[in-house]
Each structure stands twice: as C-alpha cells, then as structure tokens.
C-alpha cells in the first residue's frame, strides 16, 4: 500500500490539476501532507476521478483508476461523473452524498460540502444545467438547479435552493434564494489556493 501511495504522490505532483486539488487540503505539497490528505474521502476520490478522465482506459494506470473511481463512487456516495468539467483546485472535505450532473461546468477552486445536488431542470425558462464560476463554495444540503450562471467568488449557504443567476461576489441564502452582494464573499472559506504551475 505504501508503494502505491508513493507512486500516486509522484503522479499527483506531475499533474497540475491534481497538484492544485492536493494543495487545497493541506496548503503544501509534502509527502506528510499527502498521507494525511489521502485519508480524506474527497481527495481520495478526486485522485481517481481525475486520473480516470485523463488516462487511456487501455493503460494499466487508466484501468486501475477507472476501477477505483467506480468503487469509491459507491463507498463515499459521490455521484460526480467522469466527464463533468471541473476546474483545478476542487475540494470535497466531507463524507456524504454529492450529486453532480455530467453537463454541469465548474470553474477553479470550488468547494463541495456534503449532501449537495447540482443538477438539471427539465422544463421552464431555466431548462438545463448550471455553469459555476471560480472560487464558489457550496454548503451542506444546498441544491443548485437549472440553466443558470453563478459568478466568481460566490458563497452558497447550507440548505439553499438556487435556480436563478448569481452575480460575482455574492452570498446566497435560503429558499427561495436571497442574494446578498459581498466583496470577498468566500474569504476564509476558499483557502489554500494553489498559485503555482
């Protein structure tokens, strides 16, 4: 097991997307931090999500990554399809259900809490799936639905139901969603952003 972790650590450091994901958890890229982060269900799952998307299914590591991705989907209850477009710096800090539609689009340095749903609206003016900007924090039990656009630096509070566009630098509260403009809305929520290449 230690040899597999060591190998994955080297793979993570060579991959700029995974490197940014890893940095979000501990704020550094050391082996000691990797061992701690690897125990986190969100990071453990994210490694195999990224690798199963980027590697050929015919390569040995690609086949292993797809198998692990599938197993961890059921183990951790994260339903995040491999083809979902998610920018670098993803952080999922808690064990628990995450449901994400395959056509949803996420920017960089987003945060998923537990029991969230980012999904499709099948009728009405908002028919479709969300497009979510950079540095968006999605709190526990939040639901984000429909063909909406969420700007950068948005904090979606727990238990919110969101089906309307949200401008950048905002806090979203409640059901129906109340949008409060706030500069640096995700300050102290979106942390350990990796600025390196």
């Amino acid at each position: 097991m230690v040899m597999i972790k060591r190998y994955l650590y080297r793979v993570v450091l060579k991959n700029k997307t995974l490197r940014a994901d890893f940095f979000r958890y501990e704020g550094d890229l050391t082996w000691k931090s990797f061992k701690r982060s690897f125990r986190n269900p969100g990071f453990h799952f994210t490694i195999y999500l990224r690798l199963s998307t980027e590697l050929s299914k015919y390569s040995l590591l690609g086949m292993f990554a797809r198998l692990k991705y599938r197993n961890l989907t059921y183990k951790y209850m994260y339903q995040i399809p491999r083809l979902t477009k998610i920018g670098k710096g993803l952080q999922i800090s808690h064990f628990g259900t995450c449901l994400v539609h395959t056509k949803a689009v996420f920017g960089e340095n987003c945060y998923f809490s537990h029991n969230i749903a980012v999904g499709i609206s099948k009728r009405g003016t908002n028919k479709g799936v969300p497009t979510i900007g950079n540095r968006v924090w999605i709190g526990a039990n939040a639901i984000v639905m429909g063909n909406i656009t969420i700007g950068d630096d948005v904090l979606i509070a727990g238990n919110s139901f969101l089906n309307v566009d949200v401008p950048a630098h905002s806090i979203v509260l409640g059901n129906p969603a109340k949008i409060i403009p706030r500069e640096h809305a995700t300050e102290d929520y979106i942390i350990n952003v990796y600025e390196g290449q």
Side-chain angles (χ1 to χ4, degrees):
M1 187 61 176
V2 174
M3 287 178 63
I4 293 172
K5 281 186 187 176
R6 284 273 186 194
Y7 179 73
L8 286 172
Y9 177 58
R10 290 194 298 271
V11 169
V12 165
L13 292 183
K14 289 178 183 176
N15 182 302
K16 72 176 185 178
T17 302
L18 276 170
R19 197 165 54 239
D21 296 339
F22 168 35
F23 191 83
R24 291 290 312 283
Y25 288 86
E26 295 284 336
D28 65 48
L29 300 173
T30 63
W31 166 242
K32 187 176 180 182
S33 292
F34 182 82
K35 288 191 293 184
R36 276 196 305 270
S37 297
F38 196 78
R39 291 192 297 265
N40 182 297
F43 181 60
H44 191 199
F45 174 82
T46 300
I47 289 173
Y48 295 108
L49 170 68
R50 301 288 198 191
L51 292 178
S52 68
T53 303
E54 295 177 10
L55 299 174
S56 167
K57 65 181 178 180
Y58 301 110
S59 70
L60 190 59
L61 183 56
M63 286 188 285
F64 177 72
R66 283 171 185 245
L67 180 64
K68 287 295 288 183
Y69 160 78
R70 187 179 181 130
N71 290 341
L72 295 178
T73 293
Y74 294 106
K75 181 178 180 179
Y76 297 141
M77 296 181 289
Y78 298 146
Q79 188 177 335
I80 305 173
R82 292 185 319 101
L83 300 179
T84 306
K85 294 180 181 172
I86 302 174
K88 65 182 182 178
L90 173 64
Q91 184 178 17
I92 309 170
S93 286
H94 299 283
F95 175 87
T97 310
C98 283
L99 301 174
V100 175
H101 194 277
T102 191
K103 292 185 178 175
V105 177
F106 296 85
E108 297 181 355
N109 299 303
C110 289
Y111 175 94
F112 299 169
S113 195
H114 55 289
N115 300 330
I116 68 161
V118 178
I120 190 170
S121 179
K122 295 195 174 187
R123 62 182 177 196
T125 56
N126 283 342
K127 183 177 180 180
V129 294
T131 299
I132 296 172
N134 301 317
R135 299 175 64 92
V136 174
W137 191 90
I138 304 175
N141 304 309
I143 299 173
V144 182
M145 304 291 283
N147 183 18
I148 61 173
T149 301
I150 298 172
D152 297 341
D153 184 39
V154 171
L155 187 146
I156 302 169
N159 296 313
S160 297
F161 178 81
L162 180 58
N163 64 349
V164 295
D165 290 343
V166 179
H169 312 295
S170 300
I171 295 175
V172 179
L173 301 169
N175 180 10
K178 180 179 179 183
I179 299 169
I180 303 167
R182 175 80 52 90
E183 284 297 318
H184 311 295
T186 58
E187 186 175 25
D188 298 327
Y189 284 85
I190 301 289
I191 58 171
N192 299 332
V193 173
Y194 185 65
E195 303 293 354
Q197 293 299 319

